Amino acid sequence: MKVLIIGAGTGGLALAHLLKQAGVSIAVYERDLAPNADTGGYRVGISPAGSRALKACIPGELYDLYVATCARSPRYFNMLTDQLREVLSFDVDDAEPNALDGEKNVVRKMLRRVLLRGLEDDVFFGKALQGYTSNADGFVTACFQDGSLATGDVLVGADGTSSTVRKQRLPDARLEDTGIVSLGGKIPMSAETKALLSDKMFKGMSLIMAPMGFGAIIHSLEFADSRGDPGFAARWPDSVEALDEDSIGWGIWGARQNCPLDPSGLNGEQLRELGLELARDWHPHLRALILMTEPSTIYDVKVRTSVPLTPWTSSNVTLLGDAVHTMTPGRGAGANTALRDAALLGRMLVEANQGRKPLVEAIHAYEIEMLRYSTEAVQESKKQMDANDLAHRPIVGTVQLAFMRSIMRIVNAIPALKRRAFRQMMRVRGEN
């Protein structure tokens, strides 16, 4: 069997590793012109379930490197008011002491660098897909914008939210605008910037619940353990310099109708001014984080979501990750769901390659299960970021915010309720 994978992102590369280890012929085609073209120096959160899925896909040596290049794991998940008062805080060590490697913070470009190792001869850059053709002999041919062709038994669209494969394979699939606008940035970690965070904020990840449905996230990335470990340098000397600098990241979001400006198209300086305006009544430390951020590191994010799909007739062309189930960052489930896809699809394709299951039947089994768990993740993620929610309205939103904060404070005070709430949060991110 030969599998063509369109897209060298997290899910596509994880799938490639799994298949290659099982003796399946693979080729990965990426529209970026070079491996370092992905300049996204920002954090992605990998849940324990995401780490398990990744471990099932990649060689043990590579998994060790992934773990070593992650930042310090967050100890706390905090829910705070815009004045930085705690309403709910989960201690991850107490809630999930046996979770595999715990929650991980990794820089997206570093994760890609790690996953490209061992696939140097299998990933082809500068290959933007134009479309594909299903041949009469049962093979599928990928047609690229540079005029080149590639033929295989299976084609997997792992080409992200704007997937060319999805547009042809599922032309009725839709993305919708959530009405939420978002911007964020990061600042180097220093004694001055670290002093802006409480101990729990510094050691964890914090979500801010502000009036009018506005929200924010604060997280810190520290790589001191890997950077100072002589064993890391001896084992992976070419990765030491690639480690990201320690930093503090932030993001703000809210309903477009409540923002003085739409961040789309604004430059870094304008985005910083908009962030300061949105946080004008927030705690001075939050405003200081925004003010101290270099404008060139500030970016805006379009918050879109897939419209859940019903099952389709399976073939030897399928999809994984954002290509089939784009979701808002409201639950931090996107990358984790893509890794779950890669592990499941890879397992099904290996079964087909070994003759234990017909190919299309194997792909159908993957698609049915993938749609089941991804639809829940998409819907739960949208609940956290939907401009139609009452939280974004002036009066009823104020009442709702007060009610939610009160409920969370009660949960925070009762250990049994707290454990249940933590399990629910993690379930959407792949935990059973």
Side-chain angles (χ1 to χ4, degrees):
M1 182 189 294
K2 182 172 184 179
V3 178
L4 311 179
I5 301 171
I6 309 301
T10 301
L13 292 175
L15 174 64
H17 276 290
L18 190 158
L19 295 176
K20 185 173 183 177
Q21 290 183 95
V24 178
S25 176
I26 52 105
V28 183
Y29 300 93
E30 168 57 46
R31 60 175 169 255
D32 285 348
L33 297 178
N36 59 357
D38 180 8
T39 56
Y42 297 94
R43 168 199 163 272
V44 58
I46 306 296
S47 70
S51 286
R52 285 196 294 273
L54 183 59
K55 190 171 188 177
C57 292
I58 64 177
E61 168 80 6
L62 210 55
Y63 186 80
D64 291 345
L65 177 57
Y66 151 71
V67 172
T69 53
C70 288
R72 165 184 46 79
S73 294
R75 170 74 185 270
Y76 302 98
F77 280 102
N78 307 306
M79 302 294 294
L80 309 173
T81 72
D82 50 301
Q83 300 305 315
L84 298 186
R85 299 188 184 98
E86 180 179 302
V87 292
L88 178 59
S89 180
F90 298 110
D91 185 324
V92 177
D93 286 354
D94 288 346
E96 291 291 332
N98 298 316
L100 175 69
D101 294 317
E103 186 77 17
K104 292 295 183 188
N105 281 328
V106 63
V107 174
R108 191 177 298 275
K109 66 180 180 182
M110 188 64 186
L111 179 58
R112 187 190 215 189
R113 179 187 174 105
V114 169
L115 293 180
L116 283 170
R117 290 172 76 106
L119 297 176
E120 291 84 357
D121 297 330
D122 306 297
V123 181
F124 303 91
F125 289 90
K127 294 291 185 181
L129 185 72
Q130 183 172 313
Y132 66 85
T133 57
S134 297
N135 307 326
D137 58 7
F139 292 101
V140 59
T141 298
C143 311
F144 300 97
Q145 291 179 11
D146 63 4
S148 60
L149 305 173
T151 298
D153 299 274
V154 179
L155 186 143
V156 179
D159 47 344
T161 298
S162 301
S163 171
T164 301
V165 179
R166 183 190 68 245
K167 291 172 184 174
Q168 182 174 344
R169 180 69 181 86
L170 301 173
D172 294 331
R174 294 189 298 112
L175 293 172
E176 62 181 13
D177 185 353
T178 62
I180 297 294
V181 295
S182 175
L183 62 146
K186 68 175 186 177
I187 56 178
M189 192 177 294
S190 65
E192 183 181 11
T193 57
K194 184 177 175 180
L196 298 172
L197 307 182
S198 68
D199 185 63
K200 275 190 173 183
M201 291 179 70
F202 177 71
K203 293 179 180 178
M205 185 177 307
S206 301
L207 292 175
I208 311 298
M209 303 169 61
M212 291 295 291
F214 284 100
I217 185 171
I218 309 292
H219 56 78
S220 60
L221 297 179
E222 271 195 313
F223 300 90
D225 288 347
S226 294
R227 193 175 287 113
D229 180 7
F232 179 90
R235 193 172 178 186
W236 302 291
D238 60 333
S239 295
V240 177
E241 292 302 319
L243 288 171
D244 212 56
E245 293 300 314
D246 295 351
S247 63
I248 297 171
W250 59 268
I252 299 178
W253 60 86
R256 185 178 288 109
Q257 68 265 22
N258 294 332
C259 290
L261 290 172
D262 189 326
S264 300
L266 300 183
N267 62 35
E269 186 65 47
Q270 292 168 325
L271 288 171
R272 184 168 66 177
E273 290 303 313
L274 176 59
L276 289 169
E277 172 63 20
L278 297 178
R280 64 186 179 275
D281 297 322
W282 295 9
H283 194 282
H285 285 188
L286 295 175
R287 290 178 50 80
L289 282 175
I290 300 170
L291 186 62
M292 295 167 68
T293 305
E294 170 62 38
S296 63
T297 73
I298 304 177
Y299 59 100
D300 70 281
V301 177
K302 294 180 181 178
V303 183
R304 295 182 291 171
T305 185
S306 299
V307 176
L309 295 161
T310 54
W312 55 86
T313 302
S314 298
S315 73
N316 61 344
V317 179
T318 191
L319 300 142
L320 67 74
D322 286 347
V324 66
H325 48 62
T326 293
M327 58 193 75
T328 81
R331 290 283 191 175
N336 296 293
T337 310
L339 288 170
R340 189 173 181 178
D341 293 349
L344 175 60
L345 176 58
R347 192 166 67 248
M348 292 296 101
L349 291 177
V350 169
E351 286 192 14
N353 187 55
Q354 295 173 346
R356 291 186 283 145
K357 189 173 290 188
L359 175 59
V360 174
E361 182 181 318
I363 291 175
H364 179 71
Y366 155 72
E367 290 174 342
I368 291 297
E369 176 64 6
M370 176 270 292
L371 282 175
R372 183 193 64 77
Y373 61 72
S374 67
T375 296
E376 179 185 19
V378 167
Q379 293 172 337
E380 289 296 319
S381 297
K382 185 182 177 182
K383 287 179 183 178
Q384 307 301 309
M385 289 188 164
D386 185 352
N388 294 319
D389 192 89
L390 296 177
H392 302 284
R393 300 182 185 179
I395 298 175
V396 69
T398 302
V399 174
Q400 182 178 347
L401 178 62
F403 177 74
M404 287 299 299
R405 286 177 175 177
S406 297
I407 293 296
M408 287 185 177
R409 288 188 175 103
I410 292 172
V411 171
N412 204 35
I414 302 175
L417 291 179
K418 201 169 178 177
R419 287 192 295 271
R420 182 177 177 182
F422 185 84
R423 286 195 297 269
Q424 171 61 20
M425 179 181 74
M426 296 304 292
R427 186 172 66 83
V428 177
R429 306 184 74 216
E431 294 298 318
N432 292 328

